[in-house]
Amino acid sequence: MVFILGLFPAAADSGTATDLLPLQNQVRKKVGVPPLEWSDKLAVVAQNWANTLMQRKEFQHQKKNRYGENLFEIFGAPATPAQVTAKWADEAAHFNYKSNKCTGGACGHYTQMVWRDTKRLGCAVARAPGREIWVCEYDPPGNYIGQRPY
């Protein structure tokens, strides 16, 4: 018996790609940074990495990636673009603007999403039975130590 993973680009699956952009721009608007533009080039990078992670049964950031990157993984049920964005945006509760540090938990997904100098976004999802991996690539990247996201 041969099992083939079902891997689909975000744009081909219920508007996932187009849904992530306005949702992330809503988060950016709350802190007064300009909206991101969609990048097909980044979406291809994101899709390739999501597919690679799915095929390898791994979940980790790309090494030596020239872009900022957010990852999301879920088992057993599909996620929506709103759930993925909210998971990253909820990390704002751990970001202390005054000290410019994460306190009480992770905040790097959030700070990448709202990084003031980031201009472009490309996202994708890979799906297999019982598992999804979402990847977003950001250009230029953010999360530089000592610099404020906004």
Side-chain angles (χ1 to χ4, degrees), residues 49-50 53-54 58-59 71-74 124-127 131-135:
W49 188 240
L53 290 172
M54 186 65 73
E58 295 177 348
F59 186 70
L71 304 176
F72 176 91
E73 181 178 41
I74 189 167
V125 61
R127 292 187 169 96
R131 183 178 183 220
E132 290 183 352
I133 297 175
W134 296 67
V135 178

Side-chain angles (χ1 to χ4, degrees), residues 8-11 16-21 24 36 38-47 50 70 84-85 88 120-125 133-138:
F8 306 101
T16 300
T18 56
D19 290 343
L20 279 165
L21 179 65
Q24 292 197 34
L36 299 171
W38 184 257
S39 167
D40 289 333
K41 175 184 171 184
L42 293 176
V44 168
V45 172
Q47 189 67 63
N70 280 352
V84 173
T85 302
W88 296 333
R120 290 166 294 284
L121 172 71
C123 302
V125 61
I133 297 175
W134 296 67
V135 178
C136 284
E137 303 290 341
Y138 300 83

Side-chain angles (χ1 to χ4, degrees), residues 12-34:
D13 186 46
S14 71
T16 300
T18 56
D19 290 343
L20 279 165
L21 179 65
L23 291 167
Q24 292 197 34
N25 281 335
Q26 287 173 7
V27 176
R28 291 174 63 84
K29 186 177 182 179
K30 290 179 185 178
V31 296
V33 294

Side-chain angles (χ1 to χ4, degrees), residues 58-95:
E58 295 177 348
F59 186 70
Q60 63 188 12
H61 289 285
Q62 294 184 71
K63 292 182 172 113
K64 298 182 182 180
N65 188 2
R66 60 185 276 198
Y67 306 113
E69 185 173 73
N70 280 352
L71 304 176
F72 176 91
E73 181 178 41
I74 189 167
F75 292 94
T80 66
Q83 289 170 318
V84 173
T85 302
K87 178 70 173 166
W88 296 333
D90 287 349
E91 291 181 4
H94 303 293
F95 179 66

